[in-house]
Coordinates of all heavy atoms in Angstrom, one line a residue:
M239 N 205.3 40.0 58.4 CA 206.5 40.0 57.8 C 207.6 41.0 58.6 O 207.1 42.1 58.8 CB 206.5 40.3 56.3 CG 207.9 40.2 55.7 SD 207.9 40.7 53.9 CE 206.8 39.4 53.3
A240 N 208.7 40.5 58.9 CA 209.6 41.4 59.6 C 210.2 42.5 58.6 O 210.4 42.2 57.6 CB 210.7 40.4 60.1
S241 N 210.3 43.6 59.2 CA 210.9 44.7 58.5 C 212.4 44.5 58.3 O 213.1 44.0 59.3 CB 210.7 46.0 59.2 OG 211.2 47.1 58.6
P242 N 213.0 44.8 57.2 CA 214.5 44.7 57.1 C 215.2 45.4 58.0 O 214.8 46.7 58.2 CB 214.7 45.1 55.5 CG 213.4 45.1 54.9 CD 212.3 45.3 56.0
G243 N 216.3 45.0 58.6 CA 217.0 45.8 59.6 C 217.7 47.0 59.0 O 217.7 48.0 59.8
W244 N 218.0 47.0 57.7 CA 218.6 48.2 57.1 C 217.5 49.3 56.8 O 217.9 50.4 56.4 CB 219.5 47.9 56.0 CG 219.0 46.9 55.0 CD1 219.0 45.4 55.2 CD2 218.2 47.2 54.0 NE1 218.4 45.1 54.0 CE2 217.7 45.9 53.3 CE3 217.7 48.4 53.3 CZ2 217.0 45.9 52.1 CZ3 217.0 48.2 52.2 CH2 216.6 47.0 51.7
L245 N 216.2 48.9 57.0 CA 215.1 49.9 56.6 C 214.3 50.1 57.8 O 213.1 50.4 57.7 CB 214.3 49.3 55.5 CG 214.9 49.2 54.1 CD1 213.9 48.6 53.2 CD2 215.2 50.6 53.6
I246 N 214.9 50.1 59.0 CA 214.2 50.4 60.2 C 213.5 51.8 60.1 O 214.1 52.7 59.6 CB 215.1 50.3 61.4 CG1 215.6 48.9 61.6 CG2 214.5 50.9 62.6 CD1 216.6 48.8 62.7
G247 N 212.3 51.8 60.5 CA 211.5 53.1 60.5 C 210.5 53.2 59.4 O 209.7 54.0 59.2
F248 N 210.7 52.3 58.2 CA 209.8 52.3 57.2 C 208.6 51.4 57.4 O 208.7 50.4 58.1 CB 210.5 51.8 55.8 CG 211.5 52.8 55.3 CD1 212.8 52.6 55.7 CD2 211.1 53.8 54.5 CE1 213.8 53.6 55.2 CE2 211.9 54.8 54.0 CZ 213.3 54.7 54.2
D249 N 207.6 51.8 56.8 CA 206.4 51.0 57.0 C 206.6 49.5 56.4 O 206.9 49.4 55.3 CB 205.1 51.7 56.2 CG 204.0 50.9 56.3 OD1 203.2 51.1 57.3 OD2 203.6 50.1 55.4
T250 N 206.3 48.5 57.1 CA 206.4 47.1 56.7 C 205.7 46.7 55.3 O 206.1 46.1 54.6 CB 206.0 46.1 57.7 OG1 206.8 46.4 59.0 CG2 206.4 44.7 57.4
Q251 N 204.4 47.3 55.2 CA 203.7 47.0 54.1 C 204.3 47.7 52.9 O 204.4 47.0 51.8 CB 202.3 47.5 54.3 CG 201.3 47.2 53.0 CD 200.0 47.6 53.2 OE1 199.6 48.2 54.2 NE2 199.1 47.2 52.3
E252 N 204.8 48.8 53.1 CA 205.5 49.5 51.8 C 206.8 48.7 51.5 O 207.1 48.4 50.3 CB 206.0 50.9 52.2 CG 204.9 52.0 52.3 CD 205.4 53.3 52.6 OE1 206.5 53.5 52.3 OE2 204.5 54.1 53.2
V253 N 207.6 48.2 52.5 CA 208.8 47.5 52.2 C 208.4 46.1 51.6 O 209.0 45.8 50.5 CB 209.4 47.2 53.6 CG1 210.5 46.2 53.4 CG2 210.0 48.4 54.2
S254 N 207.3 45.5 51.9 CA 207.0 44.2 51.3 C 206.6 44.3 49.8 O 206.8 43.4 49.1 CB 206.0 43.4 52.3 OG 204.8 44.0 52.1
Q255 N 206.0 45.5 49.5 CA 205.5 45.7 48.2 C 206.7 46.1 47.4 O 206.7 45.9 46.1 CB 204.5 46.8 48.2 CG 203.2 46.3 48.9 CD 202.1 47.3 48.9 OE1 202.4 48.5 48.7 NE2 201.0 47.1 49.5
G256 N 207.7 46.9 47.8 CA 208.7 47.6 47.0 C 210.0 46.9 46.9 O 210.8 47.0 46.0
V257 N 210.3 46.2 48.0 CA 211.7 45.7 48.0 C 211.8 44.3 47.5 O 211.0 43.5 47.8 CB 212.1 45.7 49.5 CG1 213.6 45.0 49.6 CG2 212.3 46.9 50.1
N258 N 212.7 44.2 46.5 CA 212.8 42.9 45.8 C 214.2 42.2 46.1 O 214.7 41.5 45.2 CB 212.6 43.2 44.3 CG 211.3 43.6 44.0 OD1 210.3 43.0 44.4 ND2 211.1 44.6 43.3
V259 N 214.7 42.6 47.2 CA 216.0 42.0 47.5 C 215.8 40.5 47.4 O 216.7 39.8 47.0 CB 216.4 42.4 48.9 CG1 217.7 41.7 49.4 CG2 216.7 43.9 49.0
S260 N 214.8 39.9 47.9 CA 214.5 38.4 47.9 C 214.6 37.9 46.5 O 215.3 36.9 46.3 CB 213.1 38.1 48.5 OG 213.1 38.6 49.8
E261 N 214.0 38.6 45.6 CA 213.9 38.1 44.3 C 215.5 38.2 43.6 O 215.8 37.3 42.8 CB 213.0 39.0 43.5 CG 211.5 38.8 43.8 CD 210.6 39.8 43.2 OE1 211.1 40.4 42.2 OE2 209.5 39.8 43.7
E262 N 216.1 39.3 44.0 CA 217.5 39.4 43.5 C 218.4 38.4 44.0 O 219.2 37.7 43.3 CB 218.0 40.8 43.8 CG 217.4 41.9 42.9 CD 217.7 41.8 41.6 OE1 218.8 41.8 41.1 OE2 216.7 41.7 40.8
I263 N 218.3 38.0 45.2 CA 219.1 37.0 45.7 C 218.9 35.7 45.0 O 219.8 35.0 44.6 CB 218.9 36.8 47.2 CG1 219.4 38.0 48.1 CG2 219.5 35.5 47.8 CD1 218.9 38.0 49.4
R264 N 217.6 35.4 44.9 CA 217.3 34.0 44.2 C 217.7 34.1 42.6 O 218.3 33.2 42.2 CB 215.7 33.8 44.2 CG 215.3 32.4 43.5 CD 213.9 32.3 43.5 NE 213.3 32.3 44.8 CZ 212.9 31.3 45.5 NH1 212.9 30.1 44.8 NH2 212.3 31.4 46.7
R265 N 217.5 35.2 42.1 CA 217.8 35.2 40.6 C 219.3 35.2 40.4 O 219.8 34.3 39.5 CB 217.3 36.6 40.2 CG 217.6 36.9 38.6 CD 217.2 38.2 38.2 NE 218.0 39.3 38.7 CZ 219.3 39.5 38.3 NH1 219.9 38.9 37.4 NH2 220.1 40.5 38.9
I266 N 220.0 35.8 41.2 CA 221.5 35.8 40.8 C 222.0 34.4 41.3 O 222.9 33.9 40.6 CB 222.1 37.0 41.7 CG1 221.7 38.3 41.1 CG2 223.8 36.8 41.6 CD1 222.1 39.5 42.0
R267 N 221.6 33.9 42.5 CA 222.0 32.6 42.8 C 221.8 31.5 41.8 O 222.7 30.7 41.5 CB 221.4 32.1 44.1 CG 221.7 30.8 44.6 CD 221.0 30.3 45.9 NE 219.7 30.3 45.7 CZ 218.9 29.3 45.1 NH1 219.5 28.4 44.5 NH2 217.6 29.4 44.9
T268 N 220.6 31.6 41.1 CA 220.3 30.5 40.3 C 221.0 30.8 39.0 O 221.4 29.9 38.2 CB 218.8 30.5 40.0 OG1 218.2 31.7 39.6 CG2 218.0 30.0 41.1
E269 N 221.3 32.0 38.6 CA 222.1 32.4 37.4 C 223.5 31.9 37.6 O 224.1 31.4 36.5 CB 222.2 33.9 37.2 CG 221.0 34.5 36.5 CD 221.2 35.9 36.4 OE1 222.1 36.6 36.6 OE2 220.1 36.6 35.8
R270 N 224.0 31.7 38.8 CA 225.3 31.3 39.0 C 225.4 29.7 39.3 O 226.4 29.1 39.5 CB 225.8 31.8 40.4 CG 225.9 33.4 40.5 CD 227.0 34.0 39.6 NE 227.3 35.4 39.7 CZ 226.7 36.3 39.1 NH1 225.8 36.0 38.1 NH2 226.9 37.6 39.2
R271 N 224.1 29.1 39.1 CA 224.0 27.7 39.2 C 224.4 27.3 40.7 O 225.2 26.2 40.7 CB 224.6 26.9 38.1 CG 224.1 27.2 36.8 CD 224.7 26.6 35.6 NE 224.3 27.1 34.4 CZ 223.5 26.3 33.5 NH1 223.0 25.3 34.0 NH2 223.1 26.8 32.4
M272 N 224.1 28.0 41.6 CA 224.5 27.6 43.0 C 223.2 27.2 43.8 O 222.1 27.9 43.7 CB 225.0 29.0 43.6 CG 225.7 28.8 44.9 SD 226.4 30.4 45.5 CE 227.4 31.1 44.1
S273 N 223.4 26.2 44.5 CA 222.2 25.8 45.5 C 222.1 26.8 46.6 O 223.1 27.5 47.0 CB 222.5 24.5 45.8 OG 223.5 24.3 46.7
Q274 N 221.0 26.8 47.4 CA 220.9 27.5 48.6 C 222.0 27.1 49.5 O 222.5 27.8 50.4 CB 219.6 27.3 49.2 CG 218.5 28.1 48.3 CD 217.1 28.0 49.0 OE1 216.7 27.0 49.8 NE2 216.1 28.8 48.7
K275 N 222.2 25.7 49.6 CA 223.2 25.1 50.6 C 224.5 25.6 50.2 O 225.3 26.0 51.1 CB 223.1 23.7 50.5 CG 223.9 23.0 51.5 CD 223.8 21.4 51.5 CE 224.7 20.8 52.4 NZ 224.5 19.3 52.5
Q276 N 224.9 25.7 49.0 CA 226.3 26.2 48.6 C 226.4 27.6 48.9 O 227.5 28.0 49.4 CB 226.4 26.0 47.0 CG 226.6 24.6 46.6 CD 226.6 24.4 45.1 OE1 225.8 25.2 44.5 NE2 227.4 23.5 44.6
L277 N 225.5 28.5 48.6 CA 225.5 29.9 49.0 C 225.6 30.1 50.6 O 226.4 30.8 51.1 CB 224.2 30.7 48.5 CG 224.2 32.2 48.8 CD1 225.5 32.9 48.4 CD2 222.9 32.7 48.2
A278 N 224.8 29.3 51.2 CA 224.8 29.4 52.7 C 226.2 29.0 53.3 O 226.7 29.7 54.2 CB 223.7 28.5 53.3
S279 N 226.8 28.0 52.7 CA 228.1 27.5 53.1 C 229.1 28.6 52.9 O 230.0 28.9 53.7 CB 228.5 26.2 52.4 OG 229.8 25.9 52.8
R280 N 229.1 29.3 51.8 CA 230.0 30.3 51.5 C 230.0 31.5 52.4 O 230.9 32.3 52.6 CB 229.8 30.9 50.1 CG 230.1 29.9 49.0 CD 230.1 30.5 47.6 NE 230.4 29.5 46.7 CZ 230.7 29.8 45.4 NH1 230.7 31.1 45.0 NH2 231.0 29.0 44.5
I281 N 228.7 31.7 53.0 CA 228.7 32.9 53.9 C 228.5 32.4 55.5 O 228.3 33.3 56.3 CB 227.5 33.8 53.6 CG1 226.2 33.0 53.5 CG2 227.8 34.6 52.2 CD1 225.0 34.0 53.2
G282 N 228.7 31.1 55.7 CA 228.8 30.7 57.0 C 227.5 30.5 57.8 O 227.4 30.6 58.9
L283 N 226.4 30.3 56.9 CA 225.0 30.1 57.5 C 224.4 28.8 57.1 O 225.1 28.1 56.3 CB 224.1 31.3 57.1 CG 224.5 32.7 57.6 CD1 223.7 33.7 56.9 CD2 224.4 32.8 59.2
N284 N 223.3 28.5 57.4 CA 222.6 27.3 57.0 C 221.6 27.7 55.8 O 221.2 28.8 55.6 CB 221.9 26.5 58.1 CG 220.8 27.3 58.7 OD1 220.0 28.0 58.1 ND2 220.7 27.2 60.0
R285 N 221.3 26.6 55.1 CA 220.4 26.8 54.0 C 219.0 27.4 54.3 O 218.4 28.1 53.5 CB 220.1 25.3 53.2 CG 219.3 25.5 51.9 CD 218.6 24.1 51.7 NE 217.7 23.6 52.6 CZ 216.4 24.2 52.8 NH1 215.9 25.0 52.0 NH2 215.7 23.6 53.8
L286 N 218.5 27.1 55.5 CA 217.2 27.6 55.9 C 217.3 29.2 55.9 O 216.2 29.8 55.6 CB 216.9 27.0 57.3 CG 215.4 27.5 57.9 CD1 214.3 27.1 56.8 CD2 215.2 26.7 59.1
Q287 N 218.3 29.8 56.3 CA 218.4 31.2 56.4 C 218.3 31.8 55.0 O 217.7 32.8 54.7 CB 219.7 31.7 57.0 CG 219.8 33.2 57.3 CD 218.6 33.7 58.2 OE1 218.3 33.2 59.3 NE2 217.7 34.6 57.6
V288 N 219.1 31.3 54.0 CA 219.0 31.6 52.7 C 217.6 31.5 52.1 O 217.0 32.4 51.5 CB 219.9 30.9 51.8 CG1 219.9 31.3 50.3 CG2 221.4 31.3 52.2
S289 N 216.9 30.4 52.4 CA 215.5 30.1 51.9 C 214.7 31.2 52.5 O 213.7 31.7 51.8 CB 215.0 28.8 52.4 OG 213.8 28.6 52.2
R290 N 214.8 31.6 53.8 CA 213.9 32.6 54.4 C 214.1 34.0 53.7 O 213.2 34.7 53.4 CB 214.3 32.8 55.9 CG 213.8 31.6 56.6 CD 214.1 31.9 58.2 NE 213.7 30.8 58.9 CZ 214.4 30.2 59.9 NH1 215.5 30.8 60.4 NH2 213.9 29.2 60.8
W291 N 215.4 34.3 53.3 CA 215.8 35.5 52.5 C 215.0 35.5 51.3 O 214.4 36.5 50.9 CB 217.1 35.7 52.5 CG 218.0 36.2 53.7 CD1 217.4 36.5 54.8 CD2 219.3 35.9 53.8 NE1 218.4 36.7 55.8 CE2 219.6 36.3 55.3 CE3 220.3 35.4 53.2 CZ2 221.0 36.2 55.8 CZ3 221.6 35.4 53.7 CH2 221.8 35.8 54.9
E292 N 215.1 34.4 50.5 CA 214.5 34.3 49.1 C 213.0 34.3 49.2 O 212.5 34.8 48.2 CB 215.1 33.1 48.5 CG 216.6 33.2 48.1 CD 217.0 32.1 47.3 OE1 216.3 31.0 47.1 OE2 218.2 32.1 46.8
R293 N 212.5 33.8 50.2 CA 211.0 33.9 50.3 C 210.5 35.2 50.9 O 209.2 35.4 51.0 CB 210.4 32.6 51.2 CG 210.7 31.4 50.5 CD 210.2 30.2 51.3 NE 211.0 30.0 52.5 CZ 210.6 29.8 53.6 NH1 209.3 29.8 54.0 NH2 211.5 29.7 54.7
G294 N 211.2 36.1 51.4 CA 210.9 37.3 52.0 C 210.3 37.2 53.4 O 209.7 38.1 54.0
V295 N 210.7 36.0 54.1 CA 210.2 35.8 55.4 C 211.0 36.6 56.4 O 210.6 37.3 57.3 CB 210.4 34.3 55.8 CG1 210.1 34.1 57.3 CG2 209.4 33.5 54.9
T296 N 212.4 36.7 56.0 CA 213.2 37.6 56.9 C 214.2 38.3 55.7 O 214.1 38.0 54.6 CB 214.1 37.0 57.8 OG1 214.9 36.0 57.0 CG2 213.2 36.2 58.9
Y297 N 214.9 39.2 56.1 CA 215.8 40.1 55.3 C 217.2 40.0 55.7 O 217.4 40.0 57.0 CB 215.3 41.5 55.1 CG 214.0 41.6 54.5 CD1 212.8 41.6 55.2 CD2 213.8 41.6 53.0 CE1 211.6 41.7 54.6 CE2 212.7 41.7 52.4 CZ 211.6 41.8 53.2 OH 210.3 41.8 52.6
P298 N 218.1 39.9 54.9 CA 219.5 40.0 55.4 C 219.9 41.3 56.2 O 219.5 42.3 55.7 CB 220.4 39.7 54.2 CG 219.5 40.1 53.0 CD 218.1 39.9 53.5
T299 N 220.7 41.1 57.2 CA 221.3 42.3 57.8 C 222.2 42.9 56.8 O 222.8 42.2 56.0 CB 221.9 41.9 59.2 OG1 223.0 41.0 58.9 CG2 221.0 41.3 60.1
L300 N 222.7 44.1 57.2 CA 223.7 44.8 56.4 C 225.0 43.9 56.3 O 225.5 43.7 55.1 CB 224.0 46.2 56.9 CG 224.8 47.0 55.9 CD1 224.3 47.0 54.5 CD2 225.0 48.5 56.5
P301 N 225.6 43.3 57.4 CA 226.8 42.5 57.2 C 226.5 41.4 56.4 O 227.4 40.9 55.6 CB 227.1 42.1 58.7 CG 226.5 43.2 59.6 CD 225.2 43.6 58.8
H302 N 225.4 40.7 56.4 CA 224.9 39.5 55.7 C 224.8 39.9 54.2 O 225.1 39.1 53.3 CB 223.7 38.8 56.1 CG 223.9 38.0 57.4 ND1 223.0 38.0 58.5 CD2 225.0 37.2 57.8 CE1 223.6 37.2 59.4 NE2 224.7 36.7 59.0
L303 N 224.2 41.1 53.9 CA 224.1 41.5 52.5 C 225.5 41.7 52.0 O 225.7 41.4 50.7 CB 223.4 42.9 52.6 CG 222.9 43.5 51.3 CD1 221.8 42.6 50.8 CD2 222.2 44.8 51.5
V304 N 226.5 42.3 52.6 CA 227.9 42.4 52.1 C 228.4 41.0 51.8 O 229.0 40.7 50.8 CB 228.7 43.1 53.1 CG1 230.1 43.1 52.8 CG2 228.2 44.6 53.2
S305 N 228.2 40.0 52.7 CA 228.7 38.7 52.5 C 228.0 38.1 51.3 O 228.6 37.4 50.6 CB 228.4 37.8 53.7 OG 229.2 38.3 54.8
L306 N 226.7 38.3 51.2 CA 226.0 37.6 50.1 C 226.5 38.2 48.8 O 226.7 37.5 47.8 CB 224.5 38.1 50.2 CG 223.6 37.3 51.0 CD1 222.2 38.0 51.1 CD2 223.3 36.0 50.3
A307 N 226.7 39.5 48.7 CA 227.3 40.2 47.5 C 228.6 39.6 47.0 O 228.9 39.2 46.0 CB 227.3 41.7 47.7
E308 N 229.5 39.4 48.1 CA 230.8 38.8 47.8 C 230.7 37.4 47.4 O 231.3 37.0 46.3 CB 231.6 38.9 49.1 CG 232.1 40.3 49.5 CD 232.8 40.4 50.8 OE1 233.0 39.3 51.5 OE2 233.2 41.4 51.2
A309 N 229.8 36.6 48.0 CA 229.6 35.2 47.7 C 229.1 35.0 46.1 O 229.3 34.1 45.5 CB 228.8 34.4 48.7
L310 N 228.2 36.0 45.8 CA 227.6 35.9 44.6 C 228.4 36.6 43.5 O 228.0 36.5 42.3 CB 226.1 36.6 44.7 CG 225.1 35.6 45.4 CD1 223.9 36.6 45.7 CD2 224.8 34.4 44.9
G311 N 229.4 37.4 43.8 CA 230.3 38.1 42.9 C 229.6 39.3 42.3 O 229.8 39.6 41.1
V312 N 228.7 40.0 43.1 CA 228.1 41.2 42.7 C 228.3 42.3 43.7 O 228.7 41.9 44.8 CB 226.5 40.9 42.4 CG1 226.3 40.0 41.3 CG2 225.9 40.5 43.7
S313 N 227.9 43.5 43.4 CA 228.0 44.6 44.4 C 226.6 44.6 45.2 O 225.7 44.1 44.8 CB 228.2 45.9 43.7 OG 227.0 46.3 43.0
T314 N 226.8 45.2 46.4 CA 225.7 45.3 47.3 C 224.6 46.1 46.5 O 223.4 45.8 46.7 CB 226.0 46.0 48.6 OG1 226.7 47.1 48.5 CG2 226.8 45.0 49.4
S315 N 225.1 47.1 45.7 CA 224.0 47.9 45.0 C 223.2 47.2 44.0 O 222.1 47.4 43.7 CB 224.6 49.2 44.4 OG 225.7 48.7 43.4
T316 N 223.9 46.1 43.4 CA 223.2 45.2 42.6 C 222.0 44.5 43.3 O 220.9 44.3 42.7 CB 224.1 44.2 41.9 OG1 225.1 44.8 41.2 CG2 223.4 43.1 41.1
L317 N 222.3 44.0 44.4 CA 221.2 43.3 45.2 C 220.2 44.3 45.7 O 219.0 43.9 45.7 CB 221.8 42.7 46.4 CG 222.8 41.6 46.3 CD1 223.3 41.1 47.6 CD2 222.0 40.4 45.7
L318 N 220.6 45.5 45.9 CA 219.6 46.5 46.3 C 219.1 47.4 45.2 O 218.0 48.3 45.5 CB 220.2 47.5 47.4 CG 220.6 46.8 48.6 CD1 221.4 47.7 49.5 CD2 219.4 46.3 49.4
D319 N 219.4 47.2 44.0 CA 219.1 47.9 42.9 C 217.6 48.2 42.7 O 217.0 49.3 42.7 CB 219.7 47.5 41.6 CG 219.4 48.5 40.5 OD1 219.6 49.8 40.6 OD2 218.9 48.1 39.5
S320 N 216.8 47.2 42.8 CA 215.4 47.3 42.6 C 214.7 48.0 43.7 O 213.7 48.7 43.6 CB 214.7 45.9 42.3 OG 215.0 45.0 43.5
S321 N 215.3 47.7 45.0 CA 214.8 48.5 46.1 C 215.1 50.0 46.0 O 214.1 50.8 46.3 CB 215.5 48.0 47.4 OG 215.3 46.5 47.4
L322 N 216.3 50.3 45.6 CA 216.6 51.8 45.4 C 215.7 52.4 44.4 O 215.3 53.5 44.6 CB 218.0 51.9 45.1 CG 219.1 51.3 46.2 CD1 220.5 51.3 45.7 CD2 218.9 52.1 47.5
R323 N 215.5 51.7 43.4 CA 214.6 52.3 42.3 C 213.2 52.6 42.8 O 212.7 53.6 42.6 CB 214.5 51.4 41.1 CG 215.6 51.8 40.1 CD 215.5 50.8 38.8 NE 216.1 49.6 39.0 CZ 215.5 48.3 38.8 NH1 214.3 48.3 38.5 NH2 216.2 47.2 39.1
Y324 N 212.7 51.7 43.7 CA 211.4 51.9 44.2 C 211.3 53.0 45.1 O 210.4 53.9 45.0 CB 211.0 50.6 45.1 CG 209.8 50.8 45.9 CD1 208.6 50.8 45.3 CD2 209.8 51.2 47.1 CE1 207.3 50.9 46.0 CE2 208.7 51.3 48.0 CZ 207.4 51.1 47.4 OH 206.3 51.3 48.1
W325 N 212.3 53.3 45.9 CA 212.4 54.4 46.8 C 212.6 55.7 46.1 O 212.1 56.7 46.6 CB 213.4 54.3 48.0 CG 213.0 53.1 48.9 CD1 213.8 51.9 49.0 CD2 211.9 53.0 49.8 NE1 213.1 51.2 49.8 CE2 212.0 51.7 50.3 CE3 210.9 53.8 50.1 CZ2 211.1 51.2 51.2 CZ3 209.8 53.3 51.0 CH2 210.0 52.1 51.5
S326 N 213.3 55.7 45.1 CA 213.6 56.9 44.4 C 212.3 57.4 43.5 O 212.3 58.6 43.0 CB 214.8 56.8 43.5 OG 214.7 55.9 42.4
E327 N 211.4 56.5 43.2 CA 210.2 56.9 42.4 C 209.2 57.7 43.2 O 208.4 58.2 42.5 CB 209.6 55.6 41.8 CG 210.5 54.9 40.8 CD 209.8 53.6 40.4 OE1 208.8 53.2 40.8 OE2 210.5 52.9 39.6
D328 N 209.2 57.8 44.5 CA 208.3 58.4 45.2 C 208.4 59.9 45.1 O 209.3 60.6 44.7 CB 208.3 58.1 46.8 CG 207.8 56.6 47.0 OD1 207.2 56.1 46.1 OD2 208.2 56.2 48.1

């Protein structure tokens, strides 16, 4: 699994266990009753990229994270909240 660009330098295994950005993107998108295609269209990408993020195959870059937050109507910290909690527990 590729390491998130905004977490360069962290161990990939730790990242895959602790970072729930993928889950947050999917959760918020479905709460908004938005399809992957609709979300992708709002941020100028294709549905496959959103699918990859939600499955944890790849992670959004910081600029894409900002675009995602805007498209979903949340703050970037909302998308990263579960990740931030993980890192602060150490």
